[in-house]
Amino acid sequence: MTLESQIRAPSATPVDDAVLPFDVSALDVRGRLTKMGPALDEILTKHDYPAPVGKLLGEAIVLTTLLGSTLKFEGRFILQTQTDGPVSLIVVDFQAPDRLRAYARYDASKLKAGQDSAALLGHGHLAMTIDQGADMSRYQGLVALEGGNLEDAAHEYFLRSEQIPTRVRLAVGEEFRGGDGPKHRWRGGGMLMQFLPKAPERARQADLHPGDAPEGAVAHDVPEDDAWAESRALFGTIEDVELIDPDLSGERLLFRLFHERGVRVFPVQAIRAQCSCSREAVAGMLGSFTPKDRADMVENGKVVVTCEFCSSVYQFTPDEAGVVPEQKAAEG
């Protein structure tokens, strides 16, 4: 197959809930683009989140999708934030190759009009965990959240942990439509781009801030590679509406950005919303509690457990929950 036979016009057909890998060899950059529709909407609408909280959780889902879709094995990528902000906890669980679930905890009394994602997060940390299974060790990367948003945290992570020049864009919005069908739905999109030249020295970055270095110490400075500078400039032109537009395909967006340099795309990776909870799994979880804890869970003659991820409700009789008669009598 010749190179010319591989060149084609970008597809005009949008593909939702999928990750589109791409490569711009002329600039030595690679990346992934995602457009999310029904899967994102399903996860967010299972909870009655205020709009700003839903948007923040949506951004975390988009970021997790971009990162988790790189796993080449049957494992998990888990993104978690713990902070002092109005949204104190976010958990997004990506199970390779395509299953996604998420939830957030927030304090409604701390929510105020006009708060952006950074204000909702506050200060704390973001953890990214790769779980390769029971017989393999976990890998976890931590980055501080110091008043920035998730894009800022991702940039800081790649700067400190991976040391790969990286840019990330995240966008989430609400779509309102008239006519038949749903009047409101969530959409999201995101893009990750990395500079990966064949000569490693071209990807060198300046040393991290010296911290307590003596006053007057000269800061380390590395000129930015021309190809990466051009890539960053093109990347900076992306608008939120382009990432969430249901009528703009990912291929056409990439063509808008890189048509002068030439962009190559690869087969998409589909993503779906699916929780891993089940009645059997919840029963197993109940079995891990002490007999007293199980007895304390009995209310109105039953044990009720709600999945935080998907809001599914599981009900058990005391016998099914493993509450022994002596404990039931004590409770009575």
Side-chain angles (χ1 to χ4, degrees), residues 12 16 40 52 78 89 93 115 219-220 227 265 310:
D16 277 342
L40 181 70
I78 303 165
L89 177 70
D93 179 7
Q115 287 175 316
H220 183 223
V265 297
C310 68

Side-chain angles (χ1 to χ4, degrees), residues 240-300:
D240 286 2
V241 67
E242 293 179 299
L243 290 170
I244 63 178
D245 185 349
D247 300 318
L248 176 62
S249 71
E251 289 194 1
R252 282 199 165 180
L253 175 53
L254 289 173
F255 184 76
R256 283 183 184 179
L257 292 172
F258 301 115
H259 65 278
E260 292 185 355
R261 288 295 196 167
V263 56
R264 179 173 55 169
V265 297
F266 302 92
V268 298
Q269 300 169 243
I271 304 297
R272 59 195 171 108
Q274 182 177 325
C275 191
S276 60
C277 73
S278 66
R279 185 175 178 82
E280 293 73 21
V282 174
M285 179 271 295
L286 288 173
S288 69
F289 288 97
T290 66
K292 182 180 183 306
D293 287 339
R294 289 197 295 269
D296 291 340
M297 295 178 188
V298 178
E299 293 185 10
N300 300 319

Side-chain angles (χ1 to χ4, degrees), residues 290-329:
T290 66
K292 182 180 183 306
D293 287 339
R294 289 197 295 269
D296 291 340
M297 295 178 188
V298 178
E299 293 185 10
N300 300 319
K302 56 188 175 183
V303 175
V304 179
V305 179
T306 302
C307 176
E308 288 188 290
F309 284 101
C310 68
S311 298
S312 295
V313 178
Y314 298 93
Q315 296 188 13
F316 300 85
T317 66
D319 288 337
E320 291 172 332
V323 180
V324 299
E326 292 78 6
Q327 293 165 337
K328 289 187 284 186

